[in-house]
Amino acid sequence: MLTPEQARGLVKERFGVTASGEGSLLVVEAPADRWLPLGGFARETLGCVYFSFMTAVDWKEQGLEVVARVENLDANFAVFMKTKLGAGETRCASLQPVWRGADWMERECYDMFGIRFEGHPDLRRILLPQDWEGHPLLKSYAVDTPHPPYR
Amino acid sequence: MEIKAPTPQIPPAVWTEFKDLQEWEKLHQTRPEGDRHSALFETLEDGVFNFPGGFIVTTVADAFFNWARKSSVWPVTFGLACCAIEMMATFASRFDVERLGMVPFASPRHSDLMIVSGSVTIKMAPMLKRIYEQMPDPKWAVSMGSCANSGGPFRHGYHVVKGVDRVIPVDVYVPGCPPPPDSLLYGLLKLQDQISHFRKTGRRAAPTEKSD
């Protein structure tokens, strides 16, 4: 069974980056164009079959950062995947072909941050109404945005 | 890198032809005559009231009808958030609203009162309005808790209606976060007091010191 140390070695070998994080948590940062290969690698090679969650961070002028946590439930370690999309960029590769669990998470991410996941089969809003304008978790979204007649 | 296709394909659900629940709502929202009762009763009562001495009849009839109305206010069970837990406690045996003639009923078509218990989101507001419109007249609404009164702690969130009175008319506001069952009970008693001051079938009385 794969240990976290062996997994670190595999990440270093395949992607050339040192996974930070300690113990059973591997934090792997990849460029945006290697996001899908990183997902496939985490699932097929590292055996992370469980897609825990996905979200994004708005770093204002530095652009958006997509983060996702996947877990290997047998070997008991987790991989925390990060990628920076770059300033003004809203497109990102979809992980839905790799994990079915990523489907709704990416829809939520699109709903809240406006990230277009390319390759997602059904990318539409999941929490907010379909006629909603804007993406509320972006830093540029005003908190008290009026929404007549309700607020 | 080779990526395996996801194996089990879940068949599409039957409602997929509707993009959204709101689209489905729009199909059912055109109802020109509305849910109101016939205007015949109002004109009839106006006639009796204006007849010399007729006010005695309408006043006595109003008193009787109001007694009947306030003794059987059936709330529709409409729980939105954590206030619904307190509302359920009020409905249950310890506080027991049934001794006030209230039967919590799971159908808006048979109910007179809507207790809006919890924060109303913008997505929920059209459904709330629709359920309120499904209730037959005369009907009342109680806004329970800070969220329904004003938006409460979520007032500055992006998705919360700032008070349910922006969607439906409200008779009694019960403060609290959440209001304990005795607060709600007090609000319901206040509502009964209001109902007993109804003037002329189905119309709200002007605010009086005693009841408002």
Side-chain angles (χ1 to χ4, degrees):
Chain A
M1 192 174 289
L2 207 61
T3 62
E5 286 67 37
Q6 286 170 335
R8 271 169 216 279
L10 286 170
V11 169
K12 177 84 181 162
E13 191 183 306
R14 174 81 168 72
F15 287 90
V17 290
T18 310
S20 53
E22 52 193 42
S24 60
L25 179 69
L26 283 72
V27 183
V28 183
E29 187 155 0
D33 55 339
R34 304 198 76 183
W35 182 240
L36 185 59
L38 177 62
F41 170 76
R43 167 135 196 175
E44 302 299 329
T45 312
L46 302 185
C48 297
V49 291
Y50 177 61
F51 190 88
S52 182
F53 69 86
M54 158 183 268
T55 185
V57 186
D58 186 1
W59 293 105
K60 291 187 178 175
E61 64 276 354
Q62 295 170 37
L64 290 156
E65 180 180 26
V66 181
V67 295
R69 182 189 160 111
V70 294
E71 290 173 18
N72 187 339
L73 300 173
D74 299 321
N76 196 18
F77 69 86
V79 178
F80 203 85
M81 306 189 294
K82 292 179 170 188
T83 183
K84 289 213 164 166
L85 299 186
E89 182 64 77
T90 56
R91 288 173 300 138
C92 179
S94 173
L95 292 182
Q96 200 272 344
V98 188
W99 290 277
R100 279 188 70 88
D103 187 337
W104 282 14
M105 280 293 166
E106 286 180 350
R107 278 177 67 185
E108 185 187 342
C109 220
Y110 162 71
D111 199 356
M112 293 296 161
F113 293 93
I115 298 167
R116 267 79 176 164
F117 288 96
E118 291 179 338
H120 193 284
D122 184 26
L123 194 63
R124 59 196 164 96
R125 291 187 182 274
I126 187 171
L127 294 176
L128 295 171
Q130 299 296 321
D131 55 354
W132 192 277
E133 287 170 10
H135 299 282
L137 288 194
L138 290 175
K139 300 279 184 194
S140 56
Y141 189 92
V143 169
D144 262 341
T145 305
H147 194 291
Y150 301 129
R151 57 174 295 119
Chain B
M1 165 131 279
E2 190 208 348
I3 288 157
K4 277 187 206 161
T7 26
Q9 287 296 328
I10 301 167
V14 284
W15 57 80
T16 43
E17 61 254 38
F18 298 113
K19 206 177 80 197
D20 188 47
L21 190 58
Q22 285 160 13
E23 197 178 305
W24 184 80
E25 287 267 313
K26 275 183 197 137
L27 291 178
H28 295 267
Q29 268 174 355
T30 46
R31 181 192 280 258
E33 75 274 16
D35 282 328
R36 316 214 169 278
H37 59 73
S38 162
L40 177 70
F41 292 106
E42 282 186 26
T43 49
L44 204 69
E45 197 178 331
D46 274 338
V48 175
F49 185 78
N50 293 327
F51 194 79
F55 71 93
I56 299 172
V57 177
T58 52
T59 316
V60 172
D62 263 358
F64 174 72
F65 280 133
N66 285 340
W67 170 78
R69 275 185 197 123
K70 81 167 192 184
S71 308
S72 70
V73 179
W74 286 16
V76 57
T77 51
F78 190 66
L80 283 176
C82 37
C83 279
I85 302 293
E86 303 292 315
M87 187 177 75
M88 283 184 266
T90 319
F91 290 165
S93 52
R94 179 164 179 172
F95 294 93
D96 194 16
V97 288
E98 279 199 32
R99 66 204 157 99
L100 308 176
M102 298 186 177
V103 182
F105 212 82
S107 157
R109 301 262 181 215
H110 304 85
S111 306
D112 312 292
L113 168 66
M114 176 187 249
I115 302 174
V116 183
S117 53
S119 51
V120 185
T121 56
I122 289 174
K123 199 175 181 179
M124 192 63 187
M127 291 72 150
L128 184 138
K129 191 170 170 59
R130 180 144 184 248
I131 290 172
Y132 183 76
E133 282 168 354
Q134 280 176 348
M135 287 158 53
D137 273 342
K139 54 192 173 185
W140 298 276
V142 169
S143 163
M144 180 187 180
S146 301
C147 294
N149 290 344
S150 69
F154 313 111
R155 187 178 171 82
H156 297 294
Y158 55 87
H159 62 296
V160 171
V161 178
K162 290 182 175 181
V164 74
D165 48 5
R166 296 182 184 223
V167 187
I168 59 171
V170 174
D171 293 280
V172 174
Y173 296 86
V174 181
C177 186
D182 37 355
S183 285
L184 180 61
L185 215 49
Y186 182 73
L188 294 176
L189 288 171
K190 277 287 174 196
L191 178 79
Q192 289 196 335
D193 208 24
Q194 272 193 28
I195 294 171
S196 66
H197 287 77
F198 249 43
R199 304 264 167 71
K200 297 192 29 188
T201 313
R203 273 187 220 161
R204 289 188 167 79
T208 57
E209 253 178 58
K210 195 181 164 220
S211 68
D212 293 302

